[in-house]
Each structure stands twice: as C-alpha cells, then as structure tokens.
C-alpha cells in the first residue's frame, strides 16, 4: 500500500508545477477516413516490403481514441466531424460550421485569427471540401462549395479574411462559370477578387511553390492551388505538377512560424490527408494505402519539425473510418505481395480502360490491351473470363478493379460509405500526454482551445451578431433541405460525387 | 520556446522520483474477440437504452493499442495470442505455451508461482480453452484439452501445480470417458485425482460458490467449474446455476488478496470475458453485446477493487477482433431498438427451433410457433416467407438468425473468423500510465513482468530442463501436425468447434 500512496502524493505535487506550460502553436492533422484497420494494413504492407519496419511512424504517436457520432447519425460525414473538431459542438451530417439549427459557430481557426495568430489550411482534396471548410466557413451544406470558396478568401465572411495560408486542390471553384474548367454557379472571378480585393498571392504552379519553399519569401495571405479538382492520389501524383502533402505541410509550418515569430504570436494549422477516405470509398487498396503512407511521412515530418520548435503541439485524428476494411478474409488470407505491383490507382486504370474502349482497335487487340494494361497494370495477372465479362458490364470499373485486387490480397470492404468505429487519436508535443484516453470529437476541440487559451464564444458571438449573414445561412438552409431530400433519393450519386 | 524547455526539465527531474514504485498484484483481463467496433456497438446501444450513458466504463480506461499478429499469420488465434501475452514471444496459431518449434516457454503466471505469488484463472469458456491454457500449460495444439486439464491441476506439469484458483466451464475434461458427459479421450477421473492427489477443493454448484464468496473460508487450491462445456452467454445465464463473470472476478480477487496478505506476497490473476468472441464468430449481436456489457461490469468492479487495494495494477486487451463487425451498413443505418427485444442468444432460439421441428405439431402450428417463438423471441417481428424458407434449408440456424437480426439493426459481419485490426489496450492502477501507446502483444507481457520484477527466463529454463516433458511435447507435436493438416482440409468444421 505504501508504494501506491507515495505515487499519488508525487502526482499531486507535480501537476501544479507544470500547469502553466502552454503551446504557442497548434497543428491539427486529420487523416480523412483513416480507421484502425487501415493502420494495420499499411503497417503490415510496410513490414512486408521492408522486414525491419515493425511499426508505422504514427504508431509511436497513438494516445487514444475519438468517438465520432454526429448530431443526427451514429455514422458521421466529414462535414459534421470537421465542425465538431473546429467548433466543439455536434451538428448534422452535411453541415459546415453551423449548429443543427443552421446557426453559425465560431471555429478554433477563427478564434486563433481573432487573437492575432496566423492560420493555415493544407489539404489534398479541393480546398473547398468539407473538412477544411468546417474550420473556416459557415454554410448549411457541404455541397455549397462556391460559397465556401468565397468565405475562404474573405469575401462574404462576417469576420473578414480568417485564413492566412491555404494549399490544396479545387481551383475550379475560383473560376467564373464562363471558364470551361469552372465549377462555380456564377460568373464571379474569385481568383482575381482574391488577388485584387483581399491581396492574396494566388499560385498554382509547382515552380511557384518551389520558389516560395526555397526562398521563404512569401506575401501573406498566400494560396497554392495546383489542381482544378482534388489533388492527385499520392500513387498517381506527378511530382512535376504537384508537391507531396509532406512538402506542403513543412512549407506551411515554416512560413507560418516565420511570420508568427515576426509578429510575436503563434499559429493554428489544419492539415488533412484528405484522400485516404476516397481510396476506401472506392474500395481501392492501392490509392488508400499510398495516401496512408504519405500521411505517415507527413506526420513524421511534423513530429520532427516540432523537435526543432518545442513550443508546438500536434493532435491528429480521423473524422471517421471508411469502407469497413477487414484484413484476413476469408480464412485469415493475407497476401501483401498482391499490393506491391500496381503503379497507379484503380481510378487511373479505369481511365486507361475507357481510353482502350474508345480506340479503333480490333476486339482481340482491345481484349489483350485490357488484360495487359488495365488488369496487368493494376497487378491482376490471373484475370478470368468471367471477370473480363463483369468488367464490361459494371457501372464502376474503378470499384470493380479495386474489389478484385482486394479479394486477391485478403482484404474485405463491408460498405461504400463510412462506419462508426472509434478512430485513433495521435498526439505529440506540449501537454498532449495529458490527453490520453477515449474522447468525443468535440472534446478534442475543447482541449486544443483550452491549451491555446482561446475563447470560442467570442468568435461565435461575433459571427451571430452579423444578422444579414445569419439570415443568408437560413435562406441557404432551404436549399440545403432540398439537397438533403435530394440526397435521400440519390444517395449513391451524391456519395460518388463526394469521392471525386 | 522557454515554456517547452521548462516542461522537459520538469519531466527529467520528476521521473526518477517515482521510478521505484512497483505493483504488488497484477490483473490481466482479456476480452476475447473484442475489437474497436464492438466497443462502439455496446456504447451506442447503452446510450440508446439510457441516454445519460455516453461512455462505457472501459472507455475511461483506454490507454492505447495492441498489435496482434502471430508467428505464422497476420490474423492470430486465441492460442498464439495467449502465449504471446503469457510468455512474451510470438508463436504459431494453435500453439499453447510453446514456441514455433514446440519448445515450452515460461509464462508470467508460472514466474509468479516461482516467486511464491498466488495465481488465478477466471474465465467463462471452458477452463481448458486456449486463452487460460496459454498462461499455465504447454501443449503443441489448443485442441489437446484433456492434457491441458491435467497440467492445470498439476498432474504432468514440470513445475507441479502452478494455479491456485481456477473458475470457468469445462468440467467434461475432468471426467473419465466412462461418464456420459465426458470429453476426455481416456478413463482418468481427473476430478478425483485433483482432489485426492493435488488437494484441490473442486466445486461446481452455485451454493458452494456463494458459501465461499460470503464466508471467505476456502482451501486453496480451489476450483469452481459449474458447467460441462463453456459457461452460458451472459444473456442466457441462469443465475441459479452460474454466477456472473463480475461475481467470479471479485470473489477471486478477494480470495487471492487474503491469502497473499497472509503469506506476504502478491498475486497474478488472469480474467477472461471469453465468449464475446463466440458471439461474433456466430454473427449473433445479442450474445456478443451482452457479454461485452458484462465485461464492462467486471472491468468496473476490478477498477473499484483496485481503488481499495492501491498496490494492484490492471492491464486489459483482447487477443484479436472477431467477425469484422461494421456498424451503419448500408447507408449509415443504425437501429439499436432492434437489439433490445431478444431475451436470449441466437443459439438459444436455434435450439427452440430444433425442438419445434421435433414436436408432433401440424405444419401450420409448426410455422406459427417458429414465427412467434423463434423469430419473435429473438426480436424479428417482420419475418418474410423467403426468410422462413431460408431457415428451413440453412445448415446453421443460429448464424442465420444472427445475421437476420444484424441486418435489421444496421450491423454487418465481414467474416466468420478473426481479423487483424489492432485491439484496445486498457490500463488502471500502479504505473499503467507509463504504458500509453501502440504495443505488440509480446510487449504487454514484458511490461507486466518488468513491473512485477519477475524473470521469465527462470521459468523457461526450468520447463526446458525437464527432458521427458520436452520429449512428450515433441511427440504430441506430431498429432498437432496431423491436426493442422486436418484443419486446412476442414477449416469450417474446426472453426465451428472452436465456437462452442
């Protein structure tokens, strides 16, 4: 008994001594759609490729679990989850920075901005996608990406511009409808508005990125948006066109840190490995796996960066699992070799397939091209006649290819959507050892906010005091309700749209 | 920067001050087949039944993750996993307390015994089942339960008797072949041998258990084995016949503690919520769920017991996930109400079904009885004609019922076997806050052993020095190799056998 009493006594005296230590900078890193089984998949694949690898970099950072349910569903979507991480409240699936009554809530990024901190969003999806949107914008539905883009640059955001750096895809939402690549529903040239009215440095070329990374000379606010839609899956990425998530994350850290030091504040940076989720929605183990490996490289880079900047803390957690990934099905089968051959994602080979169908080839040449360049390219060498026939009639060649390869590796997917399982909580840096355990996603927000000494209520009050903004959200909510009805009727189409 | 430096300085000075504190008693609690999604299932069910419940008792004890792969498979079985937790080494699926070459390894329970500690095994499966067997016996294959029973009582164990208390099912392996209930392959009356030669107090009635629990007067070694096979699923348990796992666990803690205090040592207690796994093998959400809820009650009881006995530490982790449980399939469906109606397991209602088939009923009466007492009893009120017809032809009515109910609740099972996902690590009591993170299952053994100051090598050396024992294991390994070949050919039958 005396040993245990001694332990308690020491704890009681030790805690007050370190209570005053606070982080100056906070990084929240969200691996979208990354569940516990995804970690096992990537770990054992890595172990197969290099037997010296027994753990992933993120394995060393695991400190607990996050519960993910949203206000209206046990299974959350990325919008509700991002709002919970950002605002510390529960909301409905689809909602961005608003509560279940479509009233805007202040986010940790906005609270940081109000305190004079630098802020950043670094993602591999469209920058207007649900997860980054939930940290800096307020719309009743995630599909309102034109409005999200406007708020991101500062246009129509009640607090003005709250983002200092953004990197990710989605340039199409910044181009006027008249542009053939535009995704906007109006003729606003938001790219120019951002440059001219809000003084953004808007870049999209790899050369611009490299200049800024190497020179460190950058005017803030700064945007790097290299692709019209999502950035590429890591396994499909052309390094001549797009930097990796790791490169973007470390560049953002360096820029934010330099500016924050100059103005004697800190920064809040949101990073997302956005497309882990898309790989599992599509049942593509290749896209899923390589985006997970890049997530690990980026986490390791952030960890090392914190090693040199000890006043920084990192928390990371997914928004939800995706795909219901199971390893060892059936009969404990597991053949990691099967996953080593593909050089690209299933989506890439599905595009090759569509190309071949369009060529003026003989039937025999088409067939051999499909066997060699589609199935063979993706690592399926033993394709059967039945499988060839099924490819010809499937509505989604990419999912079909993904499921064939999965089955050969011993991987089973139980759903095309998300699941409810708790996700892994990772932490590193100042005081994150105090956040060990099982937490609700809203509690992650409260912990970070408390650590930074921010007041979310202040941001919320300012947002809500803008009556015309509140009215415009309520008005848009009518479209949202339309969208939700539409979604119930066209679940698969919408889901598919979210994958891209 | 200065804050962080201060933090590091404090950590450096604080650690040496508490390094000397060690636990006197250790409890290792294994919820067999309990994966992360099982925790979400039980939590949200509990929240549905009582909205004030937002977390399970075990949620508050989560400190990390355990990697589970065995020597020969990414997906482990209970035997290899138990051996890893007990011996701190990897071994082949099926192996009990032996390494991949069938050489015996010393277990933490045996090391405890060699140090004069009290030891206990408390389970709800047969006491001869893989998990408890892995902590106290050495045979090349888990199916050698007659030999396991012999070693458990001290007969044919090179170290003599190493177990002081055992509670669980499996009386059939203690009865001679001549007894109609026997599972033994020989005529040994092990029950009497245990009493007469090894001085065990062998009990099997609820009254005996209650007497001992209430009076505390018990002669050690003490066995309580109330059932021929596994003890009942919690949802099927008749409290007149069998105590709950919680009752057994707290009674064992009290007995071990009292005796340990008398002899001024500590104790090592292995507890297993054995049948969470059986519920998910059988795709029965009812059996699975209620054994999880009982696991939570038992963990809470152990936690509270440690509150009164602060020199005790608890670690808990499953051996593996089972069933590939996914919630919210399809389309984020989740109807916990569906799980509230069944009063018994699918296995129970499958037995009712078999009874009805045997009755001298008219076809119409049989049909209405099946609708009311089988489907209706299990909570399936809207059974279709197709489902009635499918029940009539299925080879496993219990699995069929389980899957029907699962589908109605929004639960998907992806496999009848185990899966590879990391399992949750729980901890409470002395120094368990130092074991936060992601660990291999062998590291769990090493941590507990280090904390107790035990030397597993000593136990291993003693076991291996018994040349005739080593030779007998090698000889039995030939039967094991036969069994493994048999298993490859009859995977499903063996798997089914393990479920019962």
């Amino acid at each position: 008994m005396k040993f245990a009493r001694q332990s308690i006594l020491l704890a009681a005296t030790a805690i007050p001594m370190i209570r005053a230590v606070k982080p100056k900078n906070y990084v929240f890193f969200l691996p979208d759609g990354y569940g516990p089984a995804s970690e096992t998949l990537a770990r054992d694949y890595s172990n197969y490729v290099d037997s010296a690898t027994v753990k992933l970099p993120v394995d060393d950072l695991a400190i607990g679990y996050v519960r993910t349910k949203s206000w209206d569903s046990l299974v959350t979507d990325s919008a509700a989850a991002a709002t919970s991480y950002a605002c510390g409240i529960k909301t409905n699936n689809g909602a961005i920075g608003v509560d279940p009554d479509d009233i805007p809530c202040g986010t940790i990024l906005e609270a940081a901005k109000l305190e004079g901190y630098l802020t950043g969003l670094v993602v591999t999806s469209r920058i207007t996608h649900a997860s980054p949107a939930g940290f800096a914008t307020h719309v009743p539905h995630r599909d309102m990406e034109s409005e999200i883009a406007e708020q991101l640059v500062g246009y129509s955001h009640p607090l003005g511009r709250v983002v200092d750096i953004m990197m990710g895809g989605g340039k199409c939402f910044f181009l006027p409808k008249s542009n053939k690549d535009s995704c906007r529903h109006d003729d606003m040239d938001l790219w120019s508005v951002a440059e001219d009215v809000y003084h953004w440095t808007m870049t999209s070329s790899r050369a611009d990125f490299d200049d800024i990374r190497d020179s460190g000379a950058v005017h803030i606010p700064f945007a790097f948006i290299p692709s019209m839609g999502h950035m590429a899956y890591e396994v499909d990425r052309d390094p001549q066109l797009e930097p990796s998530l790791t490169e973007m994350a470390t560049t953002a850290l360096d820029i934010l840190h330099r500016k924050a030091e100059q103005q004697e504040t800190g920064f809040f940076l949101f990073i997302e490995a956005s497309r882990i989720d898309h790989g599992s929605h599509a049942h593509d183990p290749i896209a899923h796996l390589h985006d997970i490996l890049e997530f690990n490289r980026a986490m390791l880079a952030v960890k090392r960066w914190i090693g040199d900047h000890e006043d920084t803390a990192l928390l990371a957690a997914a928004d939800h699992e995706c795909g219901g990934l199971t390893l060892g099905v059936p009969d404990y089968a597991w053949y990691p070799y099967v996953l080593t051959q593909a050089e690209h994602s299933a989506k890439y080979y599905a595009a090759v397939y569509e190309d071949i169908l369009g060529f003026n080839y003989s039937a025999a040449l088409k067939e051999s091209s499909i066997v060699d360049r589609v199935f063979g390219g993706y690592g399926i060498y033993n394709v059967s006649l039945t499988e060839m026939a099924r490819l010809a009639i499937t509505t989604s060649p990419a999912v079909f290819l993904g499921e064939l390869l999965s089955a050969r590796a011993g991987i089973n997917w139980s759903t095309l959507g998300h699941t409810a399982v708790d996700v892994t909580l990772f932490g590193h840096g100042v005081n994150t050892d105090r956040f060990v355990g099982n937490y609700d996603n809203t509690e992650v927000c409260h912990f970070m906010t408390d650590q930074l000494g921010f007041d979310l209520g202040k941001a919320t009050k300012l947002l809500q005091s803008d009556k015309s903004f509140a009215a415009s959200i309520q008005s848009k909510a009518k479209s949202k309700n339309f969208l939700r009805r539409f979604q119930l009727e066209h679940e698969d189409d919408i889901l598919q749209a979210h994958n891209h």
Side-chain angles (χ1 to χ4, degrees), chain A residues 55 74 118 136 243-244 255 310 312 322 341 357 432 437 445 466 494:
Chain A
K55 285 197 283 185
L74 179 65
L118 276 288
S244 67
I255 295 172
E310 291 170 355
T312 305
C322 181
Q341 300 301 298
L357 290 187
T432 52
C445 175
D466 185 331
I494 293 276

Side-chain angles (χ1 to χ4, degrees), chain A residues 57-90:
Chain A
V58 299
D59 284 333
D60 286 326
L61 305 178
I63 57 172
Y65 295 79
V66 177
R67 306 192 296 276
T68 66
K69 70 190 285 188
S70 71
W71 181 256
D72 63 348
S73 174
L74 179 65
V75 182
T76 190
D77 82 329
S78 297
T83 303
S84 292
Y85 283 131
C87 291
I89 63 161
K90 291 291 186 193

Side-chain angles (χ1 to χ4, degrees), chain A residues 306-324:
Chain A
I306 291 176
D308 295 329
H309 306 83
E310 291 170 355
D311 42 6
T312 305
L314 162 71
L315 283 183
D319 38 7
H320 47 69
E321 202 265 356
C322 181

